[in-house]
Amino acid sequence: MRFQNSKGNGDVLKNAVSRTLQIKCKRMRTFIDENHDSLHLHISQLRQFALSAGGLVLDEIRALVWPVLASSLVQDSFGDEETTSTFSDSDFESAHSDFIYEENNYKSSSTSILSSPTLQDLQSHREWNQVQMDVGRTLSRFPPNISDEERCTLQEDLTPLIVKILWSCPRFHYYQGFHDVCLTLLLVLGNEKAEHVGTLLANNGIFRGYLLKSLEDTVLRDLDLMYVLLWKVDEELEKVVRAVELGSLFALSWPLTWFSHALHHYHQIVLCFDFFLATHALTPIFLTSAVVLWRSNAVLNCSRDMASIHHLLNVMPNDIPVQALIHDAQDLFRMFPPSRLRGPLMEDYQHVININRIRKPSLPQISLRNWLVAGTATAAMYIISKYMFISSSY
């Protein structure tokens, strides 16, 4: 049977999806209205809303649900006392803050670590100037329907917002890309809620490690797991990227910014935030792996050299099917949970590539933070990736 009028079929599909999301929105609104004062007791249902097709759909719903999800983040089972608590791979175990959901109360005793700083205090913070420079480069991140006046106001709010979050822990060190995360929170939640959720993420979530420790010891180590997933799912792809010594720096900004720096459309970014707020702290690595696997054909048909493949993967396609890839990431998580991935699977993979025979010179004493997120040269990526490829052990 041949289908006629593919455009008409496409319109029917879009209308069906639209109706489905409208029904979902109505259901979520009803649930929130009925449980407004006790949403923190319904974390499982809120996570289900966030993880099902379309995520939380509307920012007005996100503004109510994100603070609750951020108060009960699913923790990573791998870490130390400095960065995380110890939990299992289960999505049902969380680091629960003392947050009580009230419309006019966004503070929690677990995050009100220091008294509220004044603007003068914030401007004296060691990171203020760097944050301000990065905020000045966020023009392309604003949705097209925001006026210039509103954008300027948001940019003025963003620098003190970020520094307030850093102020919550004197040992936090800002990294380029954290401003992208905070901008998304500001756009969805407004200033006060964004500060509350950002502080929860910084103190209880995966960002705590990024703000406290070196990137070599956190995100780059986690990105090594991507190669294990590639090996298990698409062995030919893994062999190609390993043969050209691709490394993982092409994807560095993806987990660091929860994809907010790489994706081109606002609705794609907030859908990722719905996903990450409702799931295990390592799911950005699973989504990163899903994106690379989705581009397998393009990689295999690309010139077999590091620079070409790095450039191909570093540029995120405009039409990336984020929702489908989120489903793929969930499937990867179920098949290869973090405890197996970091344990026996990593050991098996290291054995396969015979890593113990590889002798690498020590990493040059140059901070990787100088290459972060924006304006990174492919040549620099090549030099560093030769040192960083599967260099950490679990």
Side-chain angles (χ1 to χ4, degrees):
M1 177 178 179
R2 295 184 62 186
F3 291 96
Q4 303 295 324
N5 191 3
S6 59
K7 182 180 185 300
N9 290 329
D11 291 340
V12 170
L13 180 60
K14 288 181 180 179
N15 290 335
V17 171
S18 178
R19 286 194 298 272
T20 300
L21 293 181
Q22 288 174 11
I23 293 170
K24 182 180 180 181
C25 284
K26 183 177 180 180
R27 183 185 171 205
M28 288 191 292
R29 284 191 176 112
T30 300
F31 182 85
I32 290 170
D33 288 342
E34 291 176 350
N35 300 279
H36 186 271
D37 295 327
S38 59
L39 285 177
H40 61 287
L41 300 178
H42 301 278
I43 295 296
S44 294
Q45 180 59 65
L46 296 179
R47 286 176 180 161
Q48 185 177 342
F49 284 143
L51 294 175
S52 57
L56 296 173
V57 186
L58 299 175
D59 281 359
E60 65 182 78
I61 295 175
R62 293 185 174 100
L64 297 172
V65 175
W66 279 11
V68 187
L69 293 177
S71 73
S72 295
L73 296 168
V74 181
Q75 293 294 288
D76 190 354
S77 61
F78 182 84
D80 53 33
E81 296 178 356
E82 190 74 8
T83 55
T84 61
S85 302
T86 300
F87 291 88
S88 75
D89 293 333
S90 171
D91 277 352
F92 298 100
E93 296 191 82
S94 310
H96 190 74
S97 78
D98 295 332
F99 172 82
I100 301 297
Y101 184 82
E102 296 179 7
E103 183 63 26
N104 296 314
N105 179 14
Y106 312 126
K107 302 295 182 182
S108 72
S109 61
S110 64
T111 58
S112 296
I113 299 172
L114 301 174
S115 59
S116 181
T118 65
L119 180 59
Q120 186 175 3
D121 291 332
L122 297 175
Q123 290 173 337
S124 68
H125 193 281
R126 64 180 181 275
E127 304 283 12
W128 176 275
N129 290 336
Q130 182 60 57
V131 171
Q132 195 169 44
M133 284 192 292
D134 287 347
V135 166
R137 295 193 286 259
T138 58
L139 179 61
S140 62
R141 280 287 327 279
F142 287 89
N145 60 330
I146 288 184
S147 66
D148 290 343
E149 182 179 359
E150 187 177 2
R151 176 184 56 78
C152 289
T153 300
L154 288 167
Q155 284 184 306
E156 289 176 2
D157 291 340
L158 185 56
T159 299
L161 166 65
I162 295 169
V163 179
K164 280 183 183 178
I165 294 170
L166 299 176
W167 190 275
S168 69
C169 177
R171 292 179 295 124
F172 280 164
H173 291 276
Y174 171 77
Y175 65 86
Q176 286 181 295
F178 189 60
H179 67 294
D180 287 299
V181 176
C182 294
L183 175 58
T184 302
L185 298 179
L186 182 61
L187 289 170
V188 172
L189 301 173
N191 204 337
E192 193 170 4
K193 283 187 179 181
E195 180 190 345
H196 171 66
V197 172
T199 304
L200 286 172
L201 291 176
N203 283 278
N204 302 324
I206 192 67
F207 297 105
R208 179 172 176 82
Y210 301 162
L211 293 166
L212 280 176
K213 303 173 73 174
S214 71
L215 300 178
E216 297 92 327
D217 292 333
T218 53
V219 63
L220 284 167
R221 181 183 60 187
D222 288 342
L223 280 168
D224 284 348
L225 300 172
M226 172 184 65
Y227 278 86
V228 184
L229 291 169
L230 299 184
W231 169 62
K232 293 299 293 182
V233 178
D234 190 335
E235 192 170 349
E236 182 181 5
L237 173 64
E238 184 278 328
K239 285 181 179 178
V240 169
V241 294
R242 174 159 50 93
V244 301
E245 297 184 305
L246 178 64
S248 57
L249 292 179
F250 70 90
L252 184 58
S253 75
W254 301 358
L256 277 179
T257 69
W258 274 7
F259 283 79
S260 59
H261 184 81
L263 293 172
H264 302 290
H265 301 291
Y266 177 78
H267 72 274
Q268 297 173 332
I269 294 169
V270 292
L271 187 60
C272 286
F273 274 54
D274 291 343
F275 176 46
F276 298 144
L277 281 164
T279 51
H280 188 279
L282 204 63
T283 48
I285 302 300
F286 285 86
L287 184 57
T288 294
S289 304
V291 171
V292 176
L293 288 165
W294 171 64
R295 306 213 66 195
S296 176
N297 287 338
V299 172
L300 296 178
N301 290 317
C302 182
S303 298
R304 300 291 176 89
D305 62 86
M306 185 272 177
S308 297
I309 296 178
H310 172 89
H311 177 72
L312 172 72
L313 291 174
N314 190 50
V315 179
M316 193 72 73
N318 192 57
D319 60 347
I320 179 173
V322 173
Q323 183 66 75
L325 292 174
I326 285 175
H327 289 155
D328 289 348
Q330 290 175 284
D331 288 341
L332 288 172
F333 185 93
R334 283 188 285 266
M335 290 187 292
F336 311 108
S339 57
R340 284 189 62 217
L341 192 60
R342 285 174 163 143
L345 291 178
M346 173 58 85
E347 292 175 4
D348 291 345
Y349 180 63
Q350 289 178 332
H351 177 73
V352 167
I353 66 173
N354 205 10
I355 193 170
N356 291 329
R357 293 185 180 179
I358 298 176
R359 294 291 183 265
K360 296 187 178 72
S362 60
L363 185 67
Q365 296 301 308
I366 302 173
S367 173
L368 282 172
R369 295 174 187 269
N370 294 335
W371 278 283
L372 274 183
V373 182
T376 306
T378 298
M381 290 292 195
Y382 174 70
I383 293 171
I384 299 176
S385 66
K386 290 176 73 67
Y387 294 94
M388 295 309 303
F389 179 69
I390 308 295
S391 59
S392 58
S393 59
Y394 283 88

